[in-house]
Amino acid sequence: MKLLLLIFQIILSMQCFAQENWQKALDRVNVPSYFDSRLSVYFKYSESVDGYVVTGKFFPFNKTAETGYVILSFMEQYTNKVYLYISPRDDKYTSNDIYNLVFSDSFPGYKQGNVYCFNYVAPNSSLNKESCYSMDILHPLGYYTPFQFFDVDFDGKKELLMNNWDLLRTGNTYTVYKLNDKGLIPVSEAPFNELCNEDEIDSKRRMITRISVDGAFEYIKFYYSLKHYGKAFKPYPKFVSWMSESQVNEPIHPRFQLDSVYEKVNDKEYHWNINTEK
């Protein structure tokens, strides 16, 4: 199966090779000083994603590495407006697509200027539905999906969610970016600071439930919602879990509030109501 996938990607790469304009556009992007530009390859998704043509220039750490830095271009099909994602120094980029390529039995290693084409795995694809972290109405984040556009803050506009492909116990984590005239703006406040596949995103009730797990002994849920004016705020209690203490100290997005916390620590359960009706 991996061999067939690699052959298919090579065939697609030959088809994409003639499309030089998008490669030249990526070459014109200023590369940060922490990028090692001695080896770089290109990739393109064979279909548009939510109205965007997506291309990339990958700078692997060596000729067989599954990680590196990346420049990703999201170009709107009808306006040609481009949003650029450039790997921060501390964020090593990879994806399921790169994993499949690098870990295929016949992968010969990157060569400077190689071009690859990937098929985009949509959030609702059968591959995601069959994963351990299946996609449903409360879990819309695609485990194998490298990035997706989704209105995660319930403001009527879709954000860009980048899959960090870190393969944690609660799934992968996702970094959220707003799209505006200044480009991609990271959203770092809770509950968006480390969304994962097990988190519940309830678009109907406009609530996000963040889940944290530490081994077999600690299981934590943080319940966030859009701010409800007219509710009383209670001071935070002294939580039992270190994860709760850590999460509660994170800044909260100005549109959201923390409603309650559930802790299960060493088989004991604790329920904390933070915002209550007056």
Side-chain angles (χ1 to χ4, degrees), residues 239-250:
F239 295 108
V240 180
S241 169
W242 69 268
M243 292 187 296
S244 298
E245 287 292 324
S246 175
Q247 178 65 17
V248 81
N249 287 321
E250 295 290 336

Side-chain angles (χ1 to χ4, degrees), residues 65-262:
E66 74 276 14
T67 56
Y69 292 120
V70 75
I71 299 170
L72 281 175
S73 169
F74 299 89
M75 185 180 72
E76 289 183 326
Q77 284 181 294
Y78 301 109
T79 66
N80 290 334
K81 181 175 177 57
V82 173
Y83 297 94
L84 287 177
Y85 171 84
I86 300 176
S87 296
R89 180 189 295 271
D90 297 329
D91 291 347
K92 311 303 186 289
Y93 181 80
T94 190
S95 67
N96 182 55
D97 302 309
I98 294 175
Y99 262 50
N100 286 337
L101 176 67
V102 170
F103 293 117
S104 62
D105 294 335
S106 56
F107 179 62
Y110 304 108
K111 290 184 179 179
Q112 176 67 26
N114 276 167
V115 182
Y116 304 96
C117 279
F118 299 132
N119 288 322
Y120 178 72
V121 178
N124 62 351
S125 73
S126 59
L127 187 63
N128 283 324
K129 291 180 179 179
E130 294 168 1
S131 75
C132 295
Y133 304 93
S134 60
M135 180 266 186
D136 57 37
I137 193 168
L138 291 180
H139 302 87
L141 307 182
Y143 182 75
Y144 294 104
T145 301
F147 51 83
Q148 65 189 88
F149 295 90
F150 183 80
D151 181 15
V152 73
D153 64 357
F154 318 129
D155 67 349
K157 299 177 181 178
K158 291 183 179 181
E159 285 72 44
L160 172 65
L161 278 62
M162 293 292 299
N163 186 340
N164 297 313
W165 194 243
D166 32 14
L167 310 176
L168 303 178
R169 181 171 177 178
T170 52
N172 296 314
T173 61
Y174 298 77
T175 306
V176 179
Y177 292 89
K178 299 289 288 185
L179 292 82
N180 64 24
D181 292 339
K182 296 181 180 180
L184 297 177
I185 309 301
V187 182
S188 57
E189 304 99 336
F192 308 111
N193 49 328
E194 255 197 15
L195 286 174
C196 68
N197 290 104
E198 282 200 1
D199 292 343
E200 295 180 358
I201 302 173
D202 191 334
S203 297
K204 185 175 181 179
R205 299 172 63 195
R206 298 187 175 186
M207 296 181 63
I208 295 177
T209 303
R210 286 282 310 277
I211 295 175
S212 300
V213 179
D214 185 15
F217 302 103
E218 297 191 18
Y219 180 82
I220 313 300
K221 287 186 175 183
F222 266 55
Y223 297 87
Y224 296 91
S225 69
L226 289 181
K227 281 186 175 178
H228 301 289
Y229 298 100
K231 282 194 171 185
F233 172 82
K234 295 196 304 186
Y236 294 138
K238 176 64 177 177
F239 295 108
V240 180
S241 169
W242 69 268
M243 292 187 296
S244 298
E245 287 292 324
S246 175
Q247 178 65 17
V248 81
N249 287 321
E250 295 290 336
I252 297 179
H253 191 281
R255 283 169 44 84
F256 284 76
Q257 65 184 24
L258 176 61
D259 290 330
S260 60
V261 176
Y262 166 81

